[in-house]
């Protein structure tokens, strides 16, 4: 087991929920979709890209980098918290030599648990390909530092994986009477997704991952894009919320089952639904003027179409929970990552990232 005694765990948990320790840098690997993609799709012929103004308007360079944000995204902010420089996209030509030892971001906007999710984006890095790249990455690092040190680097690394949202938004609910919705009733579809996710997470473990943060899906029915399509008075889209409420509890059960089989707390559940819902339901309490209208976009709730140079653009991004029709602003991402670090077990189960850092520093 990771924790030698309950008393030590509780002491660490409550102490660290108020003070985040300074961590020595550890490798960081990222898998998933547009919530965590930091530029891989820039190197692909796909429409799922964030490579033009006003994306990145609040970043240090004020230029679009491929992140679906006005500035930093979740992986950037987690890198800050663990004392590491930001990981580069795996497809970046700059990712070589010692830069490889920092880790890598394999995420690709548009992907899901299922390989047919995001088919309309054509050329994206499906999750099976992301894992194949992870194997290739380890071969490249082994050529630098040897197989044993590479294994140690991967085993001690932090991993983040964010999947599931696109399997609903860009698959099951993409169009009325979609292929998957004709094949499965919604509860059965969720069971199918979870069974496929189990295979992905088991493969990640086989590839050496030993500390994996797994995010559930946020309140998909409440994002500006869905409000624009389905809401009359600002209420969240019922069917998407139903999907999320089916998916997230089963994902938590899956992670608990995998940890029991392994005999260690490898997989950490991050309750993205609760993290988002805090500021979606009470935006003013978190300094936002709205959680319904996107900063960048057009149409109802600025939720129609893409964020482009021709879109409406709010002057102060810090006041908006959503940057574009689907993605949180940097300010909202900071709130989310703060919950990763110090959130109670309602947000991070069985432990938060501060506790993980402290435990791993003693082993």
């Amino acid at each position: 087991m990771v924790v030698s005694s309950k008393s030590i765990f509780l002491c660490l948990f409550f102490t660290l929920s108020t003070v985040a320790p300074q961590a020595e840098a550890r490798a960081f690997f990222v898998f998933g979709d547009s919530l965590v993609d930091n530029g891989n799709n820039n190197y692909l012929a796909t429409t799922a890209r964030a490579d033009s103004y006003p994306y990145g308007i609040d970043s240090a360079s004020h230029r679009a980098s491929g992140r679906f944000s006005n500035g930093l995204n979740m992986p950037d902010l987690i890198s800050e918290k663990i004392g590491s420089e930001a990981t580069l996209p795996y497809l970046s030509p700059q990712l070589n030599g010692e830069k490889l030892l920092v880790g890598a971001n394999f995420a690709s906007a548009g992907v899901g648990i299922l390989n047919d999710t995001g088919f309309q984006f054509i050329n994206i890095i499906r999750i099976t390909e992301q894992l194949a790249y992870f194997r290739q990455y380890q071969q490249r690092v082994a050529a630098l530092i040897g197989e044993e040190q590479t294994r140690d680097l991967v085993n001690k690394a932090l991993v983040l994986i964010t999947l599931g949202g696109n399997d609903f938004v860009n698959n099951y609910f993409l169009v009325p009477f979609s292929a998957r919705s004709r094949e499965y009733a919604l509860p059965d579809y969720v069971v199918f997704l979870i069974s496929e996710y189990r295979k992905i997470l088991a493969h990640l473990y086989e590839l050496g991952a030993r500390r994996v943060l797994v995010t559930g899906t946020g309140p998909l029915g409440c994002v500006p894009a869905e409000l624009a399509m389905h809401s009359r008075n600002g209420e969240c889209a019922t069917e998407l919320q139903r999907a999320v409420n089916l998916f997230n509890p089963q994902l938590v059960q899956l992670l608990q089952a995998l940890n029991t089989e392994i005999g260690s707390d490898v997989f950490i559940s991050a309750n993205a639904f609760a993290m988002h819902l805090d500021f979606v339901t009470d935006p003013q309490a978190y300094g936002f003027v709205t959680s319904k209208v996107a900063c960048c976009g057009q149409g109802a709730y600025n939720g129609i179409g893409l964020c482009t140079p021709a879109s409406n653009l709010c002057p102060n991004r810090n006041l908006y929970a959503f940057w574009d029709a689907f993605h949180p602003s940097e300010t909202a991402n900071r709130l989310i990552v703060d919950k990763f670090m110090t959130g109670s077990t309602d947000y991070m189960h069985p432990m938060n990232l501060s506790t993980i850092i402290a435990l791993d520093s003693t082993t």
Side-chain angles (χ1 to χ4, degrees):
M1 291 294 291
V2 174
V3 184
S4 59
S5 77
K6 188 175 181 181
S7 60
I8 291 174
F9 173 82
L10 289 172
C11 178
L12 281 166
F13 184 87
F14 288 113
T15 302
L16 295 166
S17 61
T18 54
V19 181
Q22 291 294 312
E24 61 181 62
R26 69 197 292 184
F28 183 32
F29 302 107
V30 182
F31 302 87
D33 56 28
S34 60
L35 290 167
V36 292
D37 182 358
N38 69 347
N40 279 310
N41 280 21
N42 285 2
Y43 301 96
L44 304 172
T46 177
T47 55
R49 294 167 71 139
D51 60 346
S52 61
Y53 178 89
Y55 284 98
I57 189 172
D58 297 312
S59 66
S61 68
H62 304 294
R63 294 179 179 175
S65 61
R67 292 164 173 82
F68 286 76
S69 172
N70 58 302
L72 302 179
N73 63 9
M74 281 195 297
D76 297 321
L77 299 169
I78 290 172
S79 289
E80 285 183 3
K81 298 291 188 183
I82 65 173
S84 178
E85 61 185 276
T87 55
L88 288 170
Y90 187 66
L91 298 185
S92 169
Q94 296 173 19
L95 185 65
N96 52 48
E98 289 199 0
K99 289 280 187 184
L100 285 164
L101 306 184
V102 173
N105 187 315
F106 302 91
S108 178
V111 306
I113 295 165
L114 305 181
N115 279 337
D116 59 293
T117 290
F119 69 91
Q120 69 272 33
F121 302 123
I122 305 172
N123 192 17
I124 52 181
I125 312 171
R126 314 285 174 192
I127 189 60
T128 49
E129 296 172 82
Q130 292 182 31
L131 294 176
Y133 277 141
F134 187 35
R135 185 183 294 277
Q136 183 187 80
Y137 162 90
Q138 293 183 44
Q139 293 167 348
R140 292 172 64 188
V141 173
L144 280 177
I145 62 174
E147 288 188 11
E148 187 176 342
Q149 285 193 58
T150 299
R151 193 177 307 112
D152 189 57
L153 179 145
V154 171
N155 288 165
K156 291 179 178 177
L158 185 69
V159 178
L160 172 68
I161 184 166
T162 297
L163 289 172
N166 284 322
D167 294 288
F168 297 110
V169 172
N170 283 308
N171 193 330
Y172 194 87
F173 293 108
L174 178 63
V175 293
F177 309 108
S178 67
R180 287 296 189 185
S181 68
R182 292 196 307 271
E183 184 180 4
Y184 293 101
L186 183 59
D188 298 327
Y189 181 65
V190 170
V191 170
F192 174 54
L193 286 180
I194 295 296
S195 68
E196 293 300 301
Y197 210 170
R198 171 184 267 275
K199 298 172 189 174
I200 292 163
L201 295 174
H203 192 188
L204 197 51
Y205 180 79
E206 289 167 8
L207 290 171
R210 294 296 180 268
R211 282 295 194 198
V212 186
L213 307 174
V214 184
T215 70
T217 61
L220 298 175
C222 305
V223 302
E226 299 305 327
L227 296 183
M229 288 190 289
H230 302 295
S231 180
R232 291 184 178 181
N233 300 303
E235 72 280 5
C236 300
T238 306
E239 277 300 283
L240 271 167
Q241 291 298 90
R242 179 172 166 247
V244 171
N245 288 329
L246 287 168
F247 178 81
N248 284 335
Q250 292 183 51
L251 178 59
V252 172
Q253 290 170 6
L254 168 62
L255 302 183
Q256 291 172 340
L258 287 170
N259 286 342
T260 299
E261 290 174 19
I262 294 165
S264 178
D265 290 325
V266 170
F267 297 103
I268 310 298
S269 171
N271 188 344
F273 184 87
M275 294 174 186
H276 284 79
L277 204 63
D278 284 346
F279 58 74
V280 165
T281 54
D282 190 4
Q284 285 74 26
Y286 295 88
F288 299 122
V289 295
T290 179
S291 61
K292 298 183 186 300
V293 181
C295 170
C296 182
Q298 47 279 314
Y301 304 100
N302 276 347
I304 304 295
L306 302 173
C307 172
T308 72
S311 297
N312 301 319
L313 181 65
C314 68
N316 187 347
R317 273 70 66 183
N318 293 329
L319 299 180
Y320 284 71
F322 284 96
W323 157 243
D324 65 11
F326 286 104
H327 304 97
S329 63
E330 178 182 321
T331 301
N333 278 326
R334 287 188 180 278
L335 292 171
I336 292 164
V337 171
D338 284 346
K339 285 292 194 295
F340 270 71
M341 289 301 297
T342 60
S344 69
T345 51
D346 290 335
Y347 296 95
M348 299 291 293
H349 191 273
M351 67 190 102
N352 61 36
L353 186 48
S354 291
T355 305
I356 290 169
I357 290 168
L359 287 172
D360 291 351
S361 69
T362 62
T363 57

